[in-house]
Amino acid sequence: MKKSVCTTLAVLLCAVSMFSVVGCQKKVANDEYTIEYQLYNGGYGMEWFDQATAKFTEKHPEVKFVKTKGTLQYGQAQTLLSAGPNATTTDLFLGTEPVMKYVLYGDSLVKGVDCVLEDLTDVYNATVEGENVTVKEKMVQGFADYYSYVNEDTGERTYYAYPWIAGVTAIVYNATQFENMGLSVPRTTDELFDVTCETIKRNNKTPFVASQQNSYDNFLWEVWRNQYYSIEGIELYYQGKTYNEESGKYSYSEETFKDIGELYIADAVEKMIGVRYGNMHKNVNTMTFTQAQAQLLLGEGLMYVCGDWLENEMKKQTGNGDTLKYMKTPILSGIINKTPTISDDATLRTVVSYVDGDITQKPAGVSDEDIEYIRQARRIENLSTFQTAYIPSYASAKDMAKEFLKFLATDEVIKICLDATGGSSVPFAYDIRSDASRWNGYSEFIKSKYDLMENAQMVVDPNKYRLQVFGSLRFCDSSVGNGYGYYTSKNASDRNTAQEYYDNRVSYVTRSWLDTALKRAGII
């Protein structure tokens, strides 16, 4: 009798709730075959994912994909992961932020959980369905290393996150306007500012456009820092280490952060966005990103740092029909401080032309070592390393979520992604140029993206180093983070030059400053 009354009451409550805001909602099954997911719905859209999951469930009919309520935004990873299994039932996140730092947090995020990120090594080592290659081997160069840690004692590599899209964030330029002005793509930052930008201004156009509210310029600065220090050098930089000539060993030193290269990088940043140089649109502090894009489309602003989702976002905007392309990120001119036989920018430009294959004659007087340094620097680009998939280690459907990540590496999904996004692909090797039916339909913008990605080397993730994650490093002023407050403040008295920034940095970065950071990081 009691059961009958309860059942009747439940039916009545559900009937009444049809007229309420909440209603009776079926609870999502928190089991091994129900993959709750969150996908960042940015410029790439949702269509590719919907089609990929539909294909996956055809092969695995026992699996069901259910979107977790709410919208996944940047900066939410720590909050969601640290909520633990009682509050976070999502099995698969496809987000837009770096998450490797959460491996360093250990069990401090969730009591009883050694690491909130699931070990994905078995995914990387798995053989791609229907192919004689592993997921790791098929992945675009650099991604696997970016999402892994190496045990210093054993040399064993462990993977904790996974790229869900492959893209580029670099300088987009108006190729039509460049051609009309007789401009070549700049090879160095000095050529970019002294030749390209000055020519553009003489033609009454604006060199760069951006929106401070949604700026991607900092991705370019990361490339310049990685170029200057080299991939091996930047790893030491993020650890705060410098080579000691006397001892022949690497040690923690504040001098690491005082390298003159920091001035060269700051100088390039200021020339790009600083008010006193006039290379950035005067309304950078007030424009929205759609307004900035409009300036590019209309041929008024000729360069814009953005990702390859740009074309999808601009479909709703009207332009003048000019052709847009990506350019390789110009080499930081200050890199000659690292190359003894390259003493000036003219020689550096020639070396860049040589490593690009535009000329065949090796520049006279330049050593093979210095040519190789520039060759490696020229490869460095900022691929979309923040489009990151990850699985909570406590997720109930983590095994099937892993199977789905493996599925992303198949040509079947690659083609789905190519078609649904207009040319953006998951980050796995695919000879798109031989796929004529697709390649011939792509814009020059998309084709230039693939040219840029070919043989590219990804930047190093600073979030993999304890000093960067826990050291609370600050350099002189908190507004230096994005550069705009430092160089474009409306109040002229609040602006500093690159030289002033560097001088302040040198005086600020003391041994006690570094020791404090090392202690915060638990290193000493």
Side-chain angles (χ1 to χ4, degrees):
M1 184 68 179
K2 185 182 291 184
K3 182 178 180 180
S4 176
V5 171
C6 288
T7 302
T8 303
L9 180 59
V11 172
L12 287 172
L13 287 173
C14 204
V16 171
S17 69
M18 293 176 63
F19 302 97
S20 69
V21 176
V22 178
C24 271
Q25 298 176 344
K26 187 177 180 180
K27 185 178 180 180
V28 176
N30 190 27
D31 59 39
E32 60 184 319
Y33 294 113
T34 303
I35 301 177
E36 276 196 73
Y37 70 89
Q38 276 277 34
L39 170 64
Y40 176 75
N41 187 11
Y44 297 112
M46 296 282 290
E47 183 182 353
W48 75 271
F49 183 80
D50 292 340
Q51 292 184 29
T53 54
K55 287 293 183 181
F56 184 79
T57 52
E58 285 180 12
K59 301 173 185 290
H60 301 275
E62 75 278 14
V63 174
K64 181 179 181 181
F65 284 86
V66 179
K67 184 181 181 299
T68 303
K69 292 180 181 179
T71 303
L72 185 62
Q73 301 291 351
Y74 182 89
Q76 289 185 322
Q78 181 170 343
T79 300
L80 294 169
L81 287 168
S82 61
N86 293 328
T88 301
T89 57
T90 303
D91 302 287
L92 175 63
F93 291 94
L94 296 98
T96 180
E97 62 180 297
V99 298
M100 289 297 289
K101 63 182 178 181
Y102 300 120
V103 178
L104 300 177
Y105 279 75
D107 61 1
S108 64
L109 284 180
V110 179
K111 187 177 180 180
V113 177
D114 292 337
C115 178
V116 293
L117 297 181
E118 176 68 6
D119 182 346
L120 301 181
T121 303
D122 55 340
V123 174
Y124 278 80
N125 291 333
T127 299
V128 178
E129 180 183 342
E131 301 180 43
N132 188 28
V133 64
T134 66
V135 171
K136 179 173 59 178
E137 290 168 341
K138 190 174 181 180
M139 195 171 284
V140 172
Q141 185 176 3
F143 276 103
D145 288 350
Y146 190 89
Y147 291 115
S148 65
Y149 282 102
V150 176
N151 186 303
E152 294 182 4
D153 297 325
T154 66
E156 184 179 5
R157 189 178 291 274
T158 306
Y159 305 86
Y160 290 97
Y162 196 88
W164 57 268
I165 203 82
V168 169
T169 302
I171 299 175
V172 179
Y173 72 103
N174 189 313
T176 302
Q177 296 289 332
F178 267 50
E179 184 177 355
N180 292 343
M181 296 179 189
L183 281 171
S184 299
V185 173
R187 294 157 290 182
T188 69
T189 52
D190 278 0
E191 187 173 27
L192 169 65
F193 300 121
D194 297 343
V195 179
T196 307
C197 288
E198 291 305 314
T199 301
I200 291 171
K201 287 186 287 188
R202 284 198 298 272
N203 282 270
N204 299 315
K205 301 285 186 178
T206 302
F208 281 95
V209 292
S211 165
Q212 181 183 356
Q213 302 167 21
N214 298 91
S215 170
Y216 300 102
D217 299 337
N218 59 305
F219 288 96
L220 198 64
W221 312 340
E222 289 181 38
V223 174
W224 286 333
R225 179 167 277 118
N226 279 252
Q227 285 179 355
Y228 178 83
Y229 288 102
S230 80
I231 295 300
E232 297 77 11
I234 199 67
E235 290 176 338
L236 292 168
Y237 176 93
Y238 288 141
Q239 297 174 70
K241 291 182 177 180
T242 296
Y243 183 73
N244 189 303
E245 295 285 353
E246 294 182 5
S247 66
K249 298 180 180 179
Y250 292 97
S251 59
Y252 296 107
S253 172
E254 69 278 12
E255 297 304 318
T256 302
F257 305 105
K258 296 181 181 181
D259 192 292
I260 193 65
E262 297 302 321
L263 174 59
Y264 302 144
I265 296 165
D267 183 63
V269 172
E270 188 192 5
K271 285 179 178 175
M272 182 179 174
I273 69 174
V275 171
R276 70 191 185 111
Y277 286 99
N279 291 324
M280 179 60 75
H281 195 284
K282 63 181 181 180
N283 294 331
V284 63
N285 291 315
T286 57
M287 279 196 301
T288 64
F289 75 95
T290 52
Q291 290 172 329
Q293 289 174 357
Q295 291 292 312
L296 181 71
L297 282 172
L298 295 171
E300 295 300 321
L302 303 194
M303 290 179 285
Y304 180 43
V305 181
C306 194
D308 69 331
W309 56 82
L310 177 67
E311 189 170 73
N312 281 338
E313 289 185 341
M314 293 191 304
K315 287 178 180 177
K316 297 179 181 179
Q317 294 179 269
T318 302
N320 60 4
D322 287 353
T323 297
L324 303 180
K325 291 183 178 181
Y326 271 113
M327 68 170 69
K328 284 187 176 182
T329 302
I331 293 289
L332 183 72
S333 292
I335 203 172
I336 62 175
N337 185 56
K338 298 285 190 177
T339 54
T341 61
I342 304 175
S343 58
D344 54 63
D345 204 66
T347 304
L348 178 60
R349 296 176 198 179
T350 303
V351 173
V352 173
S353 294
Y354 177 70
V355 301
D356 282 354
D358 295 330
I359 60 174
T360 57
Q361 183 66 41
K362 176 184 172 181
V366 180
S367 69
D368 290 340
E369 291 79 10
D370 287 350
I371 287 177
E372 188 59 26
Y373 200 91
I374 300 304
R375 189 187 308 279
Q376 295 306 314
R378 188 63 165 158
R379 291 178 56 212
I380 299 171
E381 294 291 349
N382 207 314
L383 307 187
S384 289
T385 51
F386 53 99
Q387 312 292 359
T388 305
Y390 50 98
I391 298 171
S393 59
Y394 47 77
S396 57
K398 61 184 179 183
D399 289 339
M400 294 313 301
K402 285 183 178 183
E403 291 301 316
F404 179 69
L405 291 183
K406 296 175 190 176
F407 185 57
L408 293 184
T410 63
D411 284 355
E412 183 177 13
V413 175
I414 290 173
K415 292 174 183 178
I416 286 173
C417 195
L418 287 169
D419 295 341
T421 63
S424 294
S425 66
V426 288
F428 300 98
Y430 182 76
D431 189 2
I432 184 62
R433 291 175 180 80
S434 68
D435 188 348
S437 62
R438 290 181 172 84
W439 181 255
N440 294 336
Y442 290 153
S443 67
E444 291 302 311
F445 173 76
I446 291 296
K447 289 179 178 179
S448 70
K449 180 201 81 166
Y450 281 99
D451 290 341
L452 189 68
M453 288 184 66
E454 190 170 8
N455 199 37
Q457 168 66 54
M458 295 169 64
V459 297
V460 173
D461 181 9
N463 291 286
K464 292 165 64 172
Y465 301 93
R466 296 190 65 84
L467 184 61
Q468 304 300 314
V469 176
F470 302 117
S472 300
L473 297 182
R474 290 181 64 242
F475 299 104
C476 316
D477 189 287
S478 59
S479 64
V480 177
N482 61 25
Y484 282 99
Y486 216 76
Y487 300 124
T488 69
S489 176
K490 294 179 181 179
N491 188 346
S493 63
D494 292 336
R495 297 195 294 263
N496 281 34
T497 65
Q499 185 65 56
E500 288 171 329
Y501 160 70
Y502 178 70
D503 291 342
N504 289 338
R505 179 187 181 112
V506 169
S507 61
Y508 185 88
V509 177
T510 62
R511 181 66 207 192
S512 61
W513 168 87
L514 179 59
D515 284 343
T516 299
L518 290 169
K519 289 176 183 177
R520 288 196 188 107
I523 296 173
I524 61 172

